[in-house]
Amino acid sequence: MKLTIKNISKRYGKKQALAGVSFEMENGVYGLLGPNGAGKSTLIRILAGVTEASSGEVLINGKNRKLCDLEFRSKLGYLPQTLSFYPEFSGLDYLRFVAALKGLKGESMERKIKSLAEQVGLTQDLHRKCVNYSGGMKRRLGIAQALLNDPEILILDEPTAGLDPHERIKFRNLVSVFSRDRTVLLSTHIVSDVDSIAKQIVMIKDGRVGKMEKNEYFVEAMVGKVWLLKMTVDELVVYQNNHIISNVIPAGNHLEVRVVSDNKPSPDAVAVIPTLEDAYLYEFNSDRRTA
Amino acid sequence: MALFQFEMKKLLFNKSRLILLAAMFIVCTLSGLLAAEGSLALRKSVDYSEYIRLVSENTGKFNLEQFAESKAISEATEAEYRKGSEDGFYMYLHRNPVLKFHHDYTKYGNRVHEYWNGPAYQDEANIMGVYPIQAKLKELSEKTHTSEYKYYQNRLATELSLGEPVFENTLFWDNFALAFDPSRVGFLLLMFLAFIISPVFTQEVQTDMDSIILCSVKGRREIVTAKLLSVCVTSAILTFIYFLGMFAGTYIFNGNINGYDAPARCLAGFAWTTLDTTIGGVVMWGVLWLILVAMAFGLAVALISAKSKNQATTFGLGVAMILIFSLLGFLTDDLKKMLGPLVDFNYVAISIYGSVFGGVKAYNVFGILVSYGAVALVVCLALGAVAALLAYIAQKRRAVV
């Protein structure tokens, strides 16, 4: 299924939340990376059809989404950024309710719920009230509801918020397996969520998106822009005010500081292999790129 | 069906709501006890057996001699004791059952007089009483084709078929009829209903479920059907509990339900009803009528819930609606005329069963005189249908911000 976002803009009063966003997606995992307030959730909501764009259109296989709205909704799985639950519902009630919303019923629905509960590790807790779940369990329940209808398009807004490292890895594997022959858009500000599984990444900042590329593209573009240098704690305090620091490791009586910069920040700085995280920091800290 | 079951669970069938329902039942039972307070005093009185004897001896057709005796005693009692508050005099009568019988029989005798001769102050637009109607028909004898003539012809036929009022012991039902009192309906039923119904749509905003619902296959239309259906069922259940509580409270102090098979016109407030049924029948229709009104009101609250973002606002607007409509009844006649149908056909006005079906009020609808009850029924259905339709439109246009 081909999903085309064509010149989407959104205004909230005087605030321009999105400005002429355009890109295409077709099978595989796509990462939407951007800091908080960049417009990720607004774009995601427009794609999911729960918010109207001020202008532009979303095309499904070349057809305007509004013309095939019901068909689109039947193929969509969506996990919003925030999700709380009905106080009177157990995890099982909640999944059954969402399944009913998605038009599932009978034995196949029960099988699907059981299978997803196993996949997200909630089998033992399905009969507990979901308001009593931990943050991670709530998120996993949210992921399970998004997958109930075997969606062809899966839209996940900050899916790993609240998950511990083990759950995060499990989630990544789940999405990776799921994404075969399907389109997954994963919005996050956590680079490691998309680093290993995203087929392509699009970065969003102040409501505008950059070029959609493979993560290798962003990493390669950073060659010669990531440096390692040694300094003291006092020097770091001053240094970090006007440089992009991507990592700090204590090494004896000094610190090994990883700096992202267009220019060699100091004569003794050593160029190192860049990562997607470096590219992310570079992209969103344009005012501090030059040493 | 599955969605409806889940909506019922969210709206009513959960622990906190069931506790609220139990509380509502208790409050209604207490209200029923208060309504039957006089009956308890009557039953405790040493002369109660004498009261029962007098009532059973005089049950049935009008007795002119008894009326003359009762009237004399009643007038003397009123002259002596009706100097303080109405409530005080009411309780005095209940502590003196024999006097109460004479008072009741006098009222009954006056009703018989009004049945034939009409009330002392006639509304020229709607004549009452067998003789005045006959006189009116004579006056209209040149215009037998007019709707007015046909209306009075039907009215006369109804009056004659219902016949002269009879005297019955309807103590329990007179107490229970207070369940149809507008203040009780407004504050014990409609206000409670507004509270229970108000989160029907707003809870989706508060739980962030709106996004998931709106992007699902059944999230724009079927979910609204399920919600509106759950609102109607909840309204019906709450109305039923309201009456059950009132019934229980009234029964505790009365100890019997005598008079259920007496003609409807024996019931206080229904002296002019055109419903050809028994007291049991008129009460049953009353319960059904109030369920219908509660559903229409519940749908209106659901519509507010669909358009607002939080439960408090929805509940506040629901309560404001009840208060404003209740106050309309106290306006001057000139202001009432200005406001037109809003006065007689708002949710509170149509919830007053005795006023809608207990009299002979009629409206000129496109040249045809139609009874208040018939017009109120159409208005009630229309209000419900419009609210439901607007709720569908609101959900279709709903967006998450």
Side-chain angles (χ1 to χ4, degrees), chain B residues 161-289:
Chain B
S161 86
L162 289 173
E164 190 182 86
V166 291
F167 185 74
E168 293 273 357
N169 175 14
T170 57
L171 210 53
F172 170 85
W173 298 101
D174 285 340
N175 292 159
F176 182 69
L178 288 171
F180 298 111
D181 175 65
S183 58
R184 279 183 169 84
V185 171
F187 292 96
L188 284 181
L189 176 61
L190 298 185
M191 214 170 266
F192 206 84
L193 192 61
F195 181 76
I196 296 276
I197 302 288
S198 53
V200 66
F201 282 94
T202 59
Q203 66 180 333
E204 312 303 358
V205 181
Q206 279 153 4
T207 56
D208 298 308
M209 276 298 289
D210 239 6
S211 308
I212 290 171
I213 290 173
L214 292 176
C215 74
S216 66
V217 177
K218 300 194 172 184
R220 295 279 180 179
R221 203 175 57 206
E222 288 85 347
I223 190 75
V224 182
T225 307
K227 280 183 185 295
L228 297 182
L229 203 56
S230 70
V231 164
C232 289
V233 173
T234 301
S235 304
I237 291 173
L238 253 67
T239 310
F240 186 73
I241 288 173
Y242 167 74
F243 279 112
L244 197 67
M246 286 294 295
F247 189 93
T250 311
Y251 184 80
I252 290 168
F253 278 179
N254 274 282
N256 64 67
I257 55 164
N258 292 344
Y260 67 90
D261 52 352
R265 284 193 167 189
C266 293
L267 191 64
F270 286 80
W272 290 103
T273 186
T274 51
L275 297 171
D276 186 7
T277 181
T278 60
I279 285 182
V282 86
V283 165
M284 198 189 73
W285 283 116
V287 173
L288 292 176
W289 173 250

Side-chain angles (χ1 to χ4, degrees), chain B residues 6-81:
Chain B
F6 284 115
E7 289 305 323
M8 282 308 296
K9 184 166 186 169
K10 284 194 257 173
L11 204 57
L12 198 65
F13 296 144
N14 59 71
K15 198 175 162 187
S16 59
R17 291 307 170 93
L18 290 175
I19 292 169
L20 267 177
L21 281 193
M24 184 197 175
F25 177 76
I26 292 167
V27 171
C28 292
T29 305
L30 289 174
S31 179
L33 287 172
L34 277 176
E37 198 183 6
S39 295
L40 181 70
L42 190 78
R43 287 178 68 205
K44 276 184 173 174
S45 168
V46 285
D47 293 339
Y48 181 61
S49 54
E50 178 63 5
Y51 171 80
I52 294 294
R53 186 189 66 77
L54 285 167
V55 169
S56 46
E57 268 180 13
N58 288 285
T59 293
K61 286 191 173 177
F62 182 61
N63 180 335
L64 190 58
E65 279 175 34
Q66 181 61 58
F67 175 63
E69 183 194 340
S70 291
K71 195 177 177 189
I73 295 171
S74 186
E75 280 172 358
T77 311
E78 289 200 22
E80 183 69 24
Y81 298 103

Side-chain angles (χ1 to χ4, degrees), chain A residues 73-104:
Chain A
R73 280 191 273 150
S74 71
K75 292 173 178 170
L76 176 72
Y78 173 49
L79 172 68
Q81 187 177 9
T82 51
L83 190 60
S84 48
F85 299 92
Y86 307 116
E88 56 277 4
F89 275 27
S90 66
L92 184 61
D93 288 335
Y94 178 74
L95 288 177
R96 281 178 177 161
F97 173 63
V98 179
L101 277 171
K102 294 185 176 203
L104 308 179

Side-chain angles (χ1 to χ4, degrees), chain A residues 223-256:
Chain A
V223 172
K225 290 176 181 169
V226 186
W227 314 89
L228 198 68
L229 65 153
K230 291 177 181 174
M231 62 179 73
T232 62
V233 175
D234 292 342
E235 284 170 332
L236 176 65
V237 171
V238 180
Y239 201 79
Q240 67 187 2
N241 290 332
N242 46 15
H243 290 84
I244 305 168
I245 311 290
S246 73
N247 200 13
V248 178
I249 304 167
N253 56 357
H254 63 273
L255 302 169
E256 278 187 358

